[in-house]
Amino acid sequence: MFDTVLIANRGEIALRVIRACREMGVRSIAVYSDADAGAPHVRAADKAVNIGPPPSSQSYLLGDRIIEVAIREGAQAIHPGYGFLSEQEWFARAVRDAGLVFIGPPAEAIAAMGSKTAARALAVAHNVPVVPGTTESIPDAARAAEIAAEFGYPVLLKAAAGGGGKGMRVVREASEIAASFDAARREAKNAFGDDAVYLEKYVVGPRHVEIQIIADMHGNVIHLGERECSVQRRHQKMIEEAPSVAVSPALRAEMGATAVRAARAAGYVNAGTCEFLLDRDGKYYFLEMNTRLQVEHPVTELVNGIDLVHWQLRVAAGEPLGFTQGDIAPKGWAMECRITSEDPANDFLPSTGTVSYLQLPSGPGVRWDGGIEAGTNVSLHYDPMLAKLIVHAPTRDLAIARMHRALSELVVTGIETSREFHLRVMEDAEFRAGAIEIQWLERRLASLTSDAGTDDGARIAALAGALLAESDSGIRPVGVSAKAADGHMSAWQRLARLESIA
Ligand code: MV4
């Protein structure tokens, strides 16, 4: 095992990796920008090194500087977390060339999955089902029209260098294809510096289901089942769960074996995730592979009783996986809500300011993976995801009840958060029935975020009672909307934001 690991990240994921290091007796080195000098991950690590000014481009994205720090501080390995440098082929290679270990896949595997057309071709060659479409980029609008007519509308134009939903365009009829093709090209060029575009048949109303895999250097590749990630807005996931109501044990085994084939084809080592669309008929299609530890990895950890970050460190150090596919079966139900500094009542406008008070949920089956504390300044320099609230319970119904209870214990003041939005989703009849697909949230958003969005009389009564209790005691009881109880604070915050924008 490594003696010292550098964590090239910030916030909750830096803390998550530092905790794993501490548990394994590994020394941890944090890096931080000027904006994060007092951040929790800085204090949690054995040592912390300043790497530059607040903008990521001058700190967390400076791979060469981070490698220098790792060497100077005697680290043998670098954990990139997610985002930032985690899926940069050049960084994985530079770490290796510096004689260090990148705690993630080989640079070649990142490259194999980085081009979406190359990944599709690799999938096809290894009997991994993909959505019908092209595996090569399309030269011009006329050819796009021919191919679209062949597959039938609607079709989806995608950037070959894209991923995560960036640079996609749905085309519903032949009259739109030429203009959409030119627009997709321009967008791809602007976003990725590469104007290659390909085409797929557009799958209507699918779920977004992904399979976690982990691979060692000895040829063992194991899948850890699925995560249901359909509850997302503008390609940002908001809620994830494991398992999925739509996946039977037989389908799990089949999709799992498919993900393992894709990983083997790419020469994959370490933790990774294959994304699939799962349609209403139970047909599934490989979309892309995320070559990193994902935000939502905790739901997989909870249902499988496996610490993915421990295993990332072990396989990166050359150890074999300590379990087999036969040991893996999900137990109970896990759910995660991403707590973001966004105002759901205001079209998820990013909220900034200082966390003035923080009360964390606890009790049975509750996990908080957070990167904030009272006094944390939330700025626009970094991602608005502050923390993840994760629960585990015997059944989905009990997981939802537990998540609702945990969310109602959570109090964050000083900034707006997504807490209230998540409470409403937990109360939503369609969500509770598991009737979700990738467009569900955007269709449901207006009713979930409007002030009269719930017909739950008990909830309104509880709110009224809690407000009355507050006026007596001056203390906000558990379960009261931060927004309702802190009406003055919200207005004040809004003013502060307006002033900061002006
Ligand atoms: C699709 C699709 C439907 N049909 N491809 C989005 C993220 C990227 N990984 C691929 N994505 C999709 N590809 C075909 N052929 C639907 C998605 C998709 C999606 C699309 C619109 C709005 C939200 C979405 C959420 C997940 C996946």
Side-chain angles (χ1 to χ4, degrees):
M1 183 43 59
F2 309 114
D3 166 77
T4 303
V5 167
L6 181 143
I7 297 95
N9 216 299
R10 64 179 302 281
E12 71 87 16
I13 196 61
L15 211 46
R16 167 74 187 90
V17 177
I18 291 165
R19 282 170 167 155
C21 289
R22 178 70 34 83
E23 288 167 5
M24 299 182 79
V26 172
R27 227 173 120 246
S28 56
I29 309 290
V31 293
Y32 65 96
S33 73
D34 294 341
D36 284 337
H41 81 275
V42 170
R43 270 179 288 116
D46 290 300
K47 179 152 190 204
V49 179
N50 181 290
I51 50 166
S56 312
S57 59
Q58 298 172 51
S59 51
Y60 296 105
L61 288 171
L62 292 179
D64 291 330
R65 181 173 302 172
I66 290 170
I67 290 169
E68 278 171 30
V69 171
I71 292 169
R72 180 164 16 100
E73 298 299 333
Q76 297 91 44
I78 298 182
H79 195 302
Y82 50 69
F84 294 132
L85 296 162
S86 62
E87 295 187 277
Q88 296 295 320
E89 177 195 348
W90 74 265
F91 183 65
R93 187 163 279 125
V95 171
R96 188 170 64 195
D97 290 349
L100 304 173
V101 175
F102 180 75
I103 303 178
E108 292 75 13
I110 297 177
M113 290 298 183
S115 158
K116 303 308 149 188
T117 40
R120 271 168 70 78
L122 192 70
V124 170
H126 290 82
N127 194 26
V128 171
V130 297
V131 188
T134 68
T135 47
E136 270 162 42
S137 57
I138 301 169
D140 53 50
R143 188 75 192 108
E146 282 172 23
I147 295 166
E150 189 185 313
F151 287 107
Y153 290 89
V155 297
L156 190 55
L157 294 167
K158 294 185 173 183
K166 271 177 273 171
M168 300 196 324
R169 241 161 211 267
V170 181
V171 189
R172 304 209 174 263
E173 50 181 286
S175 66
E176 298 167 357
I177 186 86
S180 292
F181 179 80
D182 292 338
R185 269 225 143 135
R186 267 196 313 276
E187 279 174 25
K189 183 79 191 168
N190 280 334
F192 310 108
D194 175 354
D195 69 357
V197 165
Y198 69 105
L199 178 152
E200 290 176 11
K201 175 98 185 136
Y202 181 58
V203 181
V204 179
R207 290 169 185 264
H208 184 158
V209 173
E210 57 189 31
I211 302 276
Q212 176 73 54
I213 66 102
I214 186 150
D216 65 21
M217 294 174 182
H218 309 279
N220 302 302
V221 187
I222 290 171
H223 78 80
L224 298 171
E226 79 281 7
R227 293 185 287 260
E228 162 75 66
C229 303
S230 295
V231 181
Q232 56 83 44
R233 176 182 168 273
R234 299 186 184 170
H235 301 292
Q236 293 299 313
K237 294 166 186 167
M238 299 294 290
I239 299 171
E240 305 97 345
E241 50 186 302
S244 165
V245 295
V247 177
S248 66
L251 183 57
R252 176 172 309 124
E254 200 184 316
M255 291 178 75
T258 304
V260 166
R261 272 203 307 285
R264 284 193 189 284
Y268 208 87
V269 178
N270 217 283
T273 297
C274 290
E275 283 188 15
F276 294 91
L277 293 176
L278 177 62
D279 76 11
R280 292 161 185 168
D281 307 327
K283 284 210 297 287
Y284 60 91
Y285 308 95
F286 171 79
L287 281 181
E288 54 191 78
M289 186 166 189
N290 298 317
T291 54
R292 61 169 189 277
L293 182 72
Q294 286 191 274
V295 172
E296 60 270 29
H297 75 276
V299 295
T300 298
E301 297 189 316
L302 292 179
V303 295
N304 289 296
I306 281 173
D307 190 306
L308 275 165
V309 181
H310 283 195
W311 283 110
Q312 280 197 293
L313 265 67
R314 291 197 188 107
V315 300
E319 292 179 30
L321 287 170
F323 46 90
T324 65
Q325 194 62 61
D327 297 329
I328 302 300
K331 193 165 180 293
W333 214 278
M335 196 169 281
E336 170 177 288
C337 288
R338 297 188 183 195
I339 308 299
T340 65
S341 53
E342 296 174 311
D343 184 0
N346 211 345
D347 199 28
F348 289 83
L349 187 74
S351 173
T352 59
T354 299
V355 176
S356 49
Y357 180 75
L358 181 63
Q359 176 183 284
L360 297 186
S362 56
V366 174
R367 168 171 166 183
W368 174 265
D369 277 22
I372 58 164
E373 58 195 358
T376 297
N377 184 259
V378 177
S379 70
L380 295 174
H381 288 296
Y382 310 113
D383 192 273
M385 200 191 75
L386 307 175
K388 294 147 10 186
L389 177 55
I390 313 113
V391 300
H392 188 215
T395 66
R396 186 169 188 270
D397 283 348
L398 288 169
I400 292 172
R402 181 159 279 172
M403 180 63 85
H404 193 278
R405 184 271 292 173
L407 284 163
S408 62
E409 288 178 11
L410 171 65
V411 182
V412 187
T413 62
I415 51 167
E416 303 289 345
T417 75
S418 55
R419 187 195 85 124
E420 183 73 11
F421 159 79
H422 284 113
L423 277 167
R424 292 213 174 171
V425 176
M426 296 304 129
E427 293 161 6
D428 183 89
E430 285 180 11
F431 178 78
R432 296 174 72 96
I436 47 178
E437 38 79 28
I438 59 175
Q439 257 100 46
W440 177 80
L441 181 56
E442 273 164 279
R443 226 183 32 242
R444 202 84 175 131
L445 210 51
S447 60
L448 283 168
T449 53
S450 75
D451 286 331
T454 175
D455 54 3
D456 186 345
R459 183 180 161 73
I460 293 163
L463 202 67
L467 281 166
L468 280 171
E470 184 198 33
S471 65
D472 285 348
S473 65
I475 295 167
R476 177 167 359 104
V478 162
V480 178
S481 150
K483 202 159 144 180
D486 287 344
H488 59 287
M489 179 72 87
S490 293
W492 187 86
Q493 279 297 318
R494 249 176 232 121
L495 194 65
R497 191 160 55 223
L498 284 173
E499 282 169 358
S500 73
I501 291 166

